[in-house]
Amino acid sequence: MSTTLNASRRNFLKTGALLGSGLLISFTVPGAKKLGGAGAAVLGPQSGAAFAPNAYLNITADNEVLVYLAHAEMGQGIWTTLSMMIAEELDVDVNKMVVQHGDAWKPYNHTMFGIQITGGSSTTWSEFDRYRKAGATARALLVQAAAQKFGVNPADCKTENGVVTAGDKSATYGELATAAAALPAPGDVPLKDPKSWKYIGKGVKRLDTPAKINGTAKFGMDMQFPGMLTAVVLHAPVFGAKVKTVDSAKAKAVAGVRQVVQIPSGVAVLADNYWAAKKGRAALKVDWDLGSGVKVDSGTMLAEYKQLAQKPGATANKAGDVDSAMSKAVKTVEAEYTFPYLAHSPMEPLNVTIQLKDGKCEIWTGTQMPGLDQGAAAQVLGLKPEQIRVNTVFLGGGFGRRATPSSDFVKEAAEIVKASGKPLVKMVWSREDDVKGGYYRPAFLHKITAGLNAQGLPIAWKHTIVGQSIMEGTLFAGMIKDGIDGSSVEGVSDSPYMEAIPDRLVTLHSPKNEVPVLWWRSVGHTHTAMAMEAMIDELAHTAGKDPLAYRQELLKHSPRHLAALNLAAEKAGWGKPLPAGRFRGIAVHESFLSYVAHVAEISLNEDGTIKVHRVVSAIDCGLAVNPDGVKAQIESGINFGVSAALLGEITLEKGHVKQGNFNDYVVARMFDTPADIEVHIVDSTGKMGGVGEPGVPPVAPAIANAYFAATGKRLRQMPFNKANLPA
Amino acid sequence: MVKLKINQKEYSVDASPDMPLLWAIRDVVGLTGTKFGCGMAQCGACTVHLDGEAVRSCVTLVSRAVGKEIVTIEGLSADPDNYLQKAWIELDVPQCGYCQSGQIMSAAVLLRENPNPTDEDIDSAMSGNICRCGTYPRIRKAIHLAAKMQREGGKDK
């Protein structure tokens, strides 16, 4: 992070300040690989090598545009989308840009969330102004430099493909970089009229595809350095268990094993390679003090949750007098929905590489929160955060698992380095470490009673939610207000259906246990959308109304829900006959500022299990910056949702997680997923929303509602596997 | 030391015979395009070709690979006529990308043995490869597209 500063650089950083949406802008720029790398780059105008108008892009004298991402690429496509925003305003060929992740560094803090984080399906909308302004400001300075060089008015200059022209004169951005770098910051620079957009809203192919199909893309797992040791950790068999005694004699005798150390989370084996480390781990003899975690058992937990749901918890949403209104209802419907723990299981198991050298530390990992990881590693290693450089590399999937408030995996790797004294270590988790390692989507239970009037419309809604808080005990605990972790009730307490019901009560119980829990792609909406949309469907049938028409009636004041709902229904041919044995279900849900409706088409296999053939989807996310990227994310969300709906389940017995790998923590394979997925984007001028997560929530209820259409039976227990299907 | 022939090149590899080929390729030889996902032949991220057959290198012992032609994603990528990779680019298949080396290695064997696969053929041949990003619909389309390019025999230009 060492960077020198000079007077003229300060001017450029004023430029940065106006981009910052109120952020503190540090007077440093991230290391650029062409200019020294390793955080030691000096990218001022004095170097004559680069134009670094802000933290988000540099232009080198040889005409290369370097883009620095404030967010991490984990599949969601922001490598491309953020680059498009700069390219659009800078007038360069997006395909020629060199893209890299930014360091852990304040200018990369989220424009809304205040820390450096990739999450909440927020990258595109939260960076839309900052990245466009970064490009526009750089362009303005380059034009000014060109105008001076050509002796013309800036207004007479044009820019295209990285070249400024005025009449018969022209200069590349690279040629102008040094001069531009010496200019003072411009005032507020106007952004382009959307009518002239070349990339935004049109689309660009993913810039990271070539590297991801020929083996050259580097994930954390691929970090290799001479002299590096690989560490694997024998983790506690039960959450919260502590090591009592370690017999490492046999482990140390394994060829290639170099060291065995005890760390707070278990016992680490360091070896020349993963295989030797894993063999060493298998040879360890460790006695554990299992602690209170042995009391956690999925079966008894469900019974406890059912018991808790008999009484109201902390109030999340209350209006009128629900009991009185319920007593006046013509019909009441009661249902209980249950949801298991779920592991994220990204394809790349967690890993972290740490190097300690000359009092400095470098970390290479795929992370969604590099700033917190930097702080956590600093604390373990006794360093200052600024002595640690976090190199974010491609994430082999995240889904929330690589955003732990506790920085569990980075901290564990730092503990290994600290305990072993080894300066260069790559910690690698096995798939079993991942599946058994916690930080799950919490198990939840929803108990709902709804009362209908003579017209079949809901007039009373009583809803109790039970499940662990993901914020409790973390540095985000302050977000819990009056006993309500908003992430446990999102999608229920703020549901548009609620607004239409005058008497309602939504309450929450947040029981605690030893199992670490975390946000999991679409967070609370993973369960709330199922509870709401399955219940609404049930009410529609109770009222004798078509599920689509019933929703249209209840959502008549929610135009964006309606737009998605109507488009999906139309494209799916709602109401039109289906081939024999095929059945449809519909669901709509808002999450992360986007509105998604799915129509699922299913049939039943011979053994009664569900086959999903087709999902027709519509999303209103406001402006779709990269439309095919939006479609790809919704496709991805649908398949992630199908996996959870039909297969996903983590269970515990006496504190031990019963699953361990993809053989028993089953995730969707190609044949499990719909052969036909259609995604339609609502032509919308609404506020921009996210796309990484919103495709997930409506999947399970659309399938469950289709199952009702097929069988007349309601699915209320996830996953909808053989064991949980109604008899 | 064992001798391994990977992507037409001979390597002397310091690996115990019981080491899975995956770790010899990744940790000893240093070719990291082949990925570790599960360690028990469940996910297919580690798929390589052994004498032309797709194998899960995480459960294939080094001893079994001695004397055989090993091809990894790096070796496959050296073929300029690789229709699969062209199709993958054309359809923007990858998301996180971690599983894609394995997906392409499995698809390559499918297309060699079945130049005109149906959806069912593809589902079956690709059933050993997991993608948590759920890029399956695009993988399926890309295999069809690559098959078409292969049948038409032309370069894409």
Side-chain angles (χ1 to χ4, degrees):
Chain A
M1 280 300 211
S2 65
T3 305
T4 56
L5 186 64
N6 54 60
S8 48
R9 253 202 79 61
R10 289 183 192 276
N11 282 326
F12 309 133
L13 292 154
K14 283 183 207 152
T15 317
L18 67 90
L19 303 172
S21 302
L23 287 172
L24 174 67
I25 299 291
S26 303
F27 292 133
T28 50
V29 293
K33 64 172 189 178
K34 288 219 154 187
L35 297 162
V42 180
L43 299 182
Q46 305 312 317
S47 72
F51 169 42
N54 50 62
Y56 316 102
L57 75 111
N58 289 344
I59 298 172
T60 65
D62 55 356
N63 212 27
E64 195 161 56
V65 181
L66 307 171
V67 177
Y68 296 93
L69 304 181
H71 298 259
E73 175 59 56
M74 50 187 177
Q76 81 282 41
I78 55 94
W79 195 263
T80 309
T81 316
L82 294 181
S83 302
M84 285 167 70
M85 294 173 192
I86 287 182
E88 187 70 75
E89 294 291 339
L90 185 57
D91 281 336
V92 294
D93 182 347
V94 69
N95 292 296
K96 290 183 181 157
M97 295 171 113
V98 177
V99 189
Q100 58 198 85
H101 289 120
D103 285 30
W105 189 33
K106 278 215 169 86
Y108 302 134
N109 279 358
H110 196 289
T111 59
M112 301 295 286
F113 302 163
I115 58 167
Q116 193 170 343
I117 180 170
T118 307
S121 300
S122 64
T123 298
T124 300
W125 62 256
S126 72
E127 296 293 2
F128 192 53
D129 288 348
R130 185 159 72 173
Y131 270 70
R132 282 188 304 151
K133 282 181 185 170
T137 307
R139 179 186 167 278
L141 289 165
L142 291 160
V143 165
Q144 216 184 323
Q148 283 179 7
K149 181 182 164 107
F150 302 157
V152 301
N153 207 310
D156 296 327
C157 294
K158 287 179 181 163
T159 52
E160 196 178 355
N161 268 335
V163 178
V164 186
T165 54
D168 58 352
K169 300 187 179 70
S170 76
T172 66
Y173 287 0
E175 288 163 355
L176 296 164
T178 306
L183 294 170
D188 199 10
V189 177
L191 296 172
K192 280 186 180 174
D193 183 335
K195 288 194 192 85
S196 65
W197 283 340
K198 186 175 162 189
Y199 297 127
I200 295 171
K202 307 289 194 297
V204 166
K205 282 204 189 304
R206 291 183 68 112
L207 303 179
D208 53 354
T209 298
K212 285 180 171 177
I213 59 172
N214 65 15
T216 58
K218 293 289 179 216
F219 298 84
M221 193 67 87
D222 304 329
M223 292 300 121
Q224 292 185 336
F225 301 97
M228 183 184 85
L229 294 179
T230 299
V232 301
V233 178
L234 182 67
H235 290 108
V238 167
F239 295 112
K242 302 280 178 226
V243 172
K244 272 203 295 201
T245 61
V246 183
D247 175 356
S248 59
K250 283 188 177 159
K252 285 177 178 161
V254 171
V257 170
R258 300 293 164 196
Q259 202 172 349
V260 176
V261 292
Q262 193 176 330
I263 56 171
S265 57
V267 181
V269 179
L270 294 87
D272 293 341
N273 54 61
Y274 176 82
W275 183 244
K278 197 182 172 210
K279 276 188 6 184
R281 176 171 76 171
L284 281 174
K285 279 189 188 159
V286 177
D287 265 345
W288 299 89
D289 176 3
L290 294 179
S292 58
V294 290
K295 284 186 266 176
V296 183
D297 193 287
S298 296
T300 54
M301 182 186 295
L302 182 62
E304 285 163 20
Y305 282 18
K306 278 176 191 282
Q307 194 60 39
L308 273 174
Q310 298 305 314
K311 289 182 186 165
T315 304
N317 182 326
K318 183 176 193 292
D321 181 342
V322 74
D323 290 328
S324 161
M326 199 72 76
S327 68
K328 293 177 196 132
V330 174
K331 281 182 187 168
T332 58
V333 179
E334 193 173 310
E336 208 169 71
Y337 301 93
T338 61
F339 304 85
Y341 286 113
L342 292 172
H344 308 71
S345 291
M347 288 311 297
E348 179 195 17
L350 294 175
N351 61 83
V352 182
T353 302
I354 298 185
Q355 180 176 42
L356 274 178
K357 198 176 176 184
D358 307 327
K360 286 186 183 171
C361 172
E362 279 207 62
I363 297 176
W364 292 264
T365 192
T367 175
Q368 297 174 241
M369 298 201 293
L372 291 188
D373 295 342
Q374 183 186 41
Q379 204 169 18
V380 172
L381 296 169
L383 297 171
K384 293 176 187 151
E386 55 269 27
Q387 289 174 290
I388 297 183
R389 184 172 195 220
V390 181
N391 301 278
T392 300
V393 280
F394 280 127
L395 281 66
F399 316 123
R401 182 61 184 91
R402 290 184 152 93
T404 44
S406 64
S407 292
D408 68 308
F409 54 106
V410 173
K411 206 186 271 177
E412 183 168 85
E415 293 283 3
I416 295 170
V417 167
K418 183 181 163 188
S420 68
K422 295 283 190 272
L424 184 50
V425 176
K426 174 160 73 175
M427 179 197 76
V428 176
W429 278 30
S430 65
R431 177 56 58 194
E432 289 78 8
D433 291 321
D434 166 71
V435 171
K436 291 184 182 294
Y439 291 91
Y440 303 131
R441 193 287 302 273
F444 266 91
L445 181 144
H446 288 241
K447 181 181 165 67
I448 308 173
T449 310
L452 303 182
N453 64 14
Q455 288 75 47
L457 297 175
I459 53 164
W461 188 286
K462 196 171 182 179
H463 194 145
T464 306
I465 301 173
V466 186
Q468 283 167 269
S469 163
I470 61 171
M471 304 295 181
E472 179 69 41
T474 76
L475 55 88
F476 299 121
M479 292 169 76
I480 301 172
K481 299 284 182 211
D482 301 323
I484 300 295
D485 174 345
S487 75
S488 296
V489 297
E490 60 185 4
V492 170
S493 59
D494 55 354
S495 163
Y497 296 118
M498 288 296 164
E499 288 161 30
I501 301 168
D503 296 278
R504 57 186 189 254
L505 179 65
V506 179
T507 71
L508 172 69
H509 295 279
S510 304
K512 294 177 189 176
N513 70 42
E514 288 75 1
V515 181
V517 289
L518 185 63
W519 32 50
W520 187 100
R521 195 178 188 175
S522 78
V523 198
H525 301 281
T526 55
H527 50 97
T528 58
M530 169 63 196
M532 291 304 298
E533 281 297 293
M535 189 65 178
I536 289 292
D537 212 73
E538 197 153 340
L539 298 185
H541 288 281
T542 305
K545 292 184 181 170
D546 171 72
L548 171 63
Y550 193 69
R551 285 176 173 81
Q552 286 167 331
E553 167 69 17
L554 294 177
L555 296 170
K556 62 189 172 197
H557 300 302
S558 303
R560 298 183 75 184
H561 283 85
L562 273 183
L565 187 68
N566 290 339
L567 184 59
E570 177 208 325
K571 297 292 182 183
W574 186 265
K576 291 183 183 157
L578 281 163
R582 292 275 190 108
F583 303 91
R584 281 193 196 101
I586 194 165
V588 61
H589 192 79
E590 185 231 332
S591 61
F592 308 95
L593 311 176
S594 286
Y595 303 75
V596 177
H598 294 325
V599 176
E601 260 178 56
I602 69 157
S603 69
L604 299 181
N605 298 316
E606 278 181 15
D607 64 353
T609 54
I610 298 167
K611 170 78 188 163
V612 185
H613 295 273
R614 183 176 185 226
V615 175
V616 178
S617 178
I619 175 169
D620 178 353
C621 59
L623 170 71
V625 173
N626 197 12
D628 192 56
V630 171
K631 290 183 179 179
Q633 280 313 293
I634 299 303
E635 291 163 14
S636 170
I638 288 168
N639 283 338
F640 208 76
V642 165
S643 190
L646 301 185
L647 305 163
E649 186 169 29
I650 291 283
T651 51
L652 293 99
E653 211 174 85
K654 291 181 182 161
H656 293 74
V657 176
K658 287 170 75 180
Q659 295 74 23
N661 206 311
F662 292 127
N663 59 321
D664 47 16
Y665 183 64
V666 184
V667 298
R669 295 173 186 275
M670 188 183 276
F671 60 73
D672 293 308
T673 59
D676 185 3
I677 295 180
E678 265 181 50
V679 181
H680 302 276
I681 300 173
V682 175
D683 188 7
S684 169
T685 53
K687 190 178 171 190
M688 281 170 81
V691 299
E693 293 164 278
V696 178
V699 174
I703 293 171
N705 297 340
Y707 187 83
F708 177 79
T711 64
K713 289 173 184 166
R714 288 290 170 186
L715 296 178
R716 294 174 180 153
Q717 191 175 357
M718 288 187 75
F720 314 139
N721 59 14
K722 180 84 177 144
N724 288 341
L725 292 176
Chain B
M1 287 286 177
V2 288
K3 290 211 184 309
L4 294 177
K5 190 175 175 194
I6 306 173
N7 303 330
Q8 312 281 338
K9 202 173 155 191
E10 300 275 359
Y11 293 88
S12 278
V13 180
D14 184 9
S16 61
D18 71 335
M19 179 186 273
L21 181 59
L22 171 65
W23 300 109
I25 291 170
R26 284 184 57 87
D27 282 4
V28 187
V29 175
L31 293 170
T32 56
T34 306
K35 302 303 185 196
F36 165 54
C38 71
M40 59 181 292
Q42 285 289 319
C43 80
C46 67
T47 306
V48 300
H49 297 170
L50 203 60
D51 279 350
E53 293 307 309
V55 300
R56 311 301 178 206
S57 64
C58 73
V59 294
T60 303
L61 301 189
V62 160
S63 52
R64 204 187 130 200
V66 173
K68 299 202 167 137
E69 296 276 347
I70 303 161
V71 177
T72 68
I73 188 69
E74 289 90 348
L76 188 98
S77 305
D79 173 8
D81 278 339
N82 193 322
Y83 300 119
L84 283 165
Q85 285 162 325
K86 287 177 185 168
W88 249 245
I89 288 174
E90 179 60 30
L91 295 173
D92 254 353
V93 174
Q95 290 190 21
C96 91
Y98 194 78
C99 74
Q100 298 295 343
S101 298
Q103 303 278 0
I104 290 170
M105 296 308 284
S106 290
V109 173
L110 166 66
L111 282 197
R112 190 191 67 218
E113 295 182 347
N114 182 353
N116 192 12
T118 62
D119 273 358
E120 274 185 7
D121 295 336
I122 294 172
D123 276 16
S124 165
M126 302 303 289
S127 64
N129 290 80
I130 294 173
C131 172
R132 281 292 276 157
C133 299
T135 63
Y136 300 125
R138 292 185 187 226
I139 292 174
R140 206 185 278 114
K141 279 184 196 143
I143 292 173
H144 282 305
L145 177 60
K148 184 165 172 270
M149 291 180 192
Q150 181 177 275
R151 284 195 306 274
E152 288 169 0
K155 319 281 183 214
D156 65 337
K157 307 176 185 148

